[in-house]
Amino acid sequence: MIWISLMEVVSTASLPGQVTGFAQCRNIRQGPVFIVASGHSAKDFPIEDFSDIPMITMNGAISMFLGTGIEPFFYACSDTSFSLQQPELFAQAMALSRRVALWEEHARMIPVQPRGELFLLKKAPRQSLKEWWFRSDDLVRPPLTAGH
């Protein structure tokens, strides 16, 4: 069932399976991880040579895992139209991945249940101008002084 509230489409369908919180992922593995995305550099990545290293992938990059026997450690689908545009590939992502992250409204409408744990994506809160101005930028280098 779908209802409209303040011009927002909201599904009242149940979620497919048990939802896990991201906090449950904390410290479950240590060491390197590969983020496998699509793009020019990804096509030559020797994915099978690194099958022992956890891999995180998203959207259509799941195609790199097909036929390899490698299960993505995490699959995130941030494109809610992907399951409609590439239903077979999306179904493979749901079947292959140990952990799946989807937007809640997308998770309620997908025709395929994820085999692995389901996590729900949500937007990060926006910072106010005051919070942005007074933020702690530990990773940002100090400004250059005049003449350097």
Side-chain angles (χ1 to χ4, degrees):
M1 173 183 216
I2 297 175
W3 57 280
I4 298 177
S5 170
L6 300 173
M7 301 302 290
E8 180 181 350
V9 177
V10 179
S11 171
T12 58
S14 62
L15 288 166
Q18 180 80 19
V19 175
T20 305
F22 282 105
Q24 299 297 321
C25 290
R26 185 165 301 184
N27 297 320
I28 59 174
R29 293 287 299 260
Q30 292 182 353
V33 63
F34 279 108
I35 298 176
V36 181
S38 54
H40 183 68
S41 62
K43 70 179 175 81
D44 295 324
F45 178 67
I47 194 168
E48 292 172 332
D49 292 349
F50 298 97
S51 62
D52 59 324
I53 297 174
M55 297 186 199
I56 299 170
T57 191
M58 64 184 302
N59 300 330
I62 191 70
S63 64
M64 293 184 62
F65 291 81
L66 301 181
T68 65
I70 301 170
E71 297 177 343
F73 188 70
F74 225 113
Y75 172 77
C77 187
S78 60
D79 180 356
T80 57
S81 65
F82 182 72
S83 60
L84 300 172
Q85 294 171 354
Q86 298 284 331
E88 296 85 15
L89 201 49
F90 182 78
Q92 288 290 322
M94 297 298 101
L96 286 175
S97 305
R98 296 180 198 167
R99 292 163 191 85
V100 174
L102 304 169
W103 297 106
E104 183 174 354
E105 62 274 10
H106 191 208
R108 291 182 187 280
M109 296 179 186
I110 58 172
V112 183
Q113 299 269 337
R115 175 188 65 99
E117 296 175 85
L118 174 63
F119 297 81
L120 299 179
L121 296 172
K122 66 178 186 176
K123 290 188 178 193
R126 299 190 99 176
Q127 287 184 319
S128 69
L129 183 58
K130 180 181 175 184
E131 290 169 328
W132 179 82
W133 189 260
F134 293 107
R135 71 192 183 281
S136 172
D137 285 334
D138 296 334
L139 298 177
V140 177
R141 295 183 183 120
L144 295 174
T145 58
H148 290 100

